[in-house]
């Protein structure tokens, strides 16, 4: 089984590359154009497209031999989203947080030594933090990542950080372990975890952590630093209210329970 440079199955990676390319290029593409954008031989791209056509995921504009995805992927992903009961359970709370804070709300979970964003509710301000669901962020430089790290001991944090290192994502990233440990301890004491331009320059994040479906999940409010500094207390209060709402909706005896 052929694997790509990130250790995944090469065919699966190329399939995802294809759909991501069409998401960025809102027009049909020829086989050679698609192969160039994917960085793969035309023959390999043709074999992939042939398989996707047979499964109904891609169609050909016969007059110009251009390729474009059908809506089959959209139908499947919409259904998958509807079936994601844990995320759907939090949807009203996330929506209320977004409206009351007027900033971007992120739902994230730890996957190995990274944070993956499960859901994102953007605010509509012209200047805003605009991540995408599925983005992966380092543990040490993201607010949700710090919240997840806080669930372990200091030795657990040292081990997690040692696996991937503690690189400077921005000029403000906490790259010294002792400084990160002190920051996380401060977060434990106040019940929320903050990044100040540590993951994205000029973006501040404020996060808390719960258990969802038997595992921890983080909720963060993120936005431009000047606005977030002004509304830091508001965001703390909103997260505290969300915590109470979740506890009332799913008490500790159920799958969703507070852990910080």
């Amino acid at each position: 089984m052929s694997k790509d440079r990130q250790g995944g199955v090469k065919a699966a990676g190329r399939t995802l590359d294809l759909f991501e390319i069409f998401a960025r290029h809102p027009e049909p593409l020829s086989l050679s154009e698609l192969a160039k954008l994917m960085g793969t031989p035309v023959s390999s791209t043709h074999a992939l497209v042939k398989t996707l056509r047979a499964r109904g995921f891609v169609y050909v504009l016969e007059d110009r031999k251009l390729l474009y995805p059908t809506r089959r992927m959209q139908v499947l992903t919409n259904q998958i989203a509807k079936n994601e009961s844990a995320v759907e359970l939090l949807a009203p709370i996330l929506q209320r947080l977004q409206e009351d804070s007027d900033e971007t709300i992120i739902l994230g979970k730890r996957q190995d030594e990274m944070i993956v964003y499960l859901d994102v509710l953007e605010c509509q301000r012209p200047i805003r933090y605009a991540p995408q669901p599925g983005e992966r962020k380092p543990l040490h430089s993201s607010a949700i990542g710090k919240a997840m790290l806080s669930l372990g001991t200091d030795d657990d944090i040292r081990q997690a950080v040692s696996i991937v290192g503690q690189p400077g994502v921005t000029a403000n990233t906490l790259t010294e372990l002792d400084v990160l440990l002190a920051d996380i301890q401060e977060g434990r004491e106040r019940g929320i975890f903050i990044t100040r331009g540590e993951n994205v320059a000029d973006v501040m994040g404020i996060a808390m952590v719960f258990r969802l479906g038997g595992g921890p999940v983080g909720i963060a409010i993120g936005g431009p630093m000047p606005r977030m500094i002004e509304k830091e207390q508001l965001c703390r209060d909103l997260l505290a209210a969300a915590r109470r709402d979740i506890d009332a909706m799913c008490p500790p005896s159920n799958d969703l329970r507070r852990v910080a």
Side-chain angles (χ1 to χ4, degrees), residues 78-197:
N78 285 345
Q79 189 60 51
I80 290 169
K82 289 179 182 178
N83 294 338
E84 195 174 12
S85 59
V87 175
E88 288 298 302
L89 186 68
L90 290 176
I93 293 173
L94 298 179
Q95 185 62 46
R96 189 159 58 249
L97 271 175
Q98 195 287 307
E99 293 171 355
D100 292 345
S101 67
D102 199 19
E103 298 293 351
T104 295
I105 306 301
I106 304 157
L107 182 68
K109 186 173 180 62
R110 181 173 176 175
Q111 295 287 280
D112 299 320
E113 306 311 321
M114 299 288 286
I115 294 298
V116 61
Y117 288 169
L118 304 180
D119 198 10
V120 176
L121 282 70
E122 286 186 39
C123 71
Q124 298 305 307
R125 290 171 174 253
I127 300 176
R128 62 185 183 273
Y129 180 40
Q132 297 294 314
E135 283 190 22
R136 290 162 56 86
K137 301 294 182 180
L139 290 171
H140 71 286
S141 64
S142 61
I144 294 177
K146 289 182 183 180
M148 294 294 171
L149 286 172
S150 76
L151 301 178
T153 65
D154 284 1
D155 284 343
D156 292 332
I157 296 172
R158 291 187 181 94
Q159 181 177 4
V161 170
S162 70
I163 292 173
V164 295
Q166 205 172 334
V169 182
T170 73
N172 296 319
T173 304
L174 306 183
T175 56
E176 296 181 11
L177 182 57
D178 288 344
V179 175
L180 177 64
L181 290 172
D183 185 270
I184 291 174
Q185 179 56 36
E186 183 179 347
R188 290 187 181 115
E189 294 169 0
R190 66 193 174 199
I192 60 159
F193 301 84
I194 299 177
T195 53
R196 296 176 174 85

Side-chain angles (χ1 to χ4, degrees), residues 22 25-31 33-34 37 59-61 63-69:
F22 277 113
H25 295 267
E27 70 278 333
L29 297 169
S30 68
L31 183 65
E33 289 172 333
L34 183 58
L37 290 168
Y59 71 99
V60 177
L61 285 70
D63 57 338
R64 298 168 59 197
K65 300 297 182 184
L66 299 180
L67 305 165
Y68 203 74

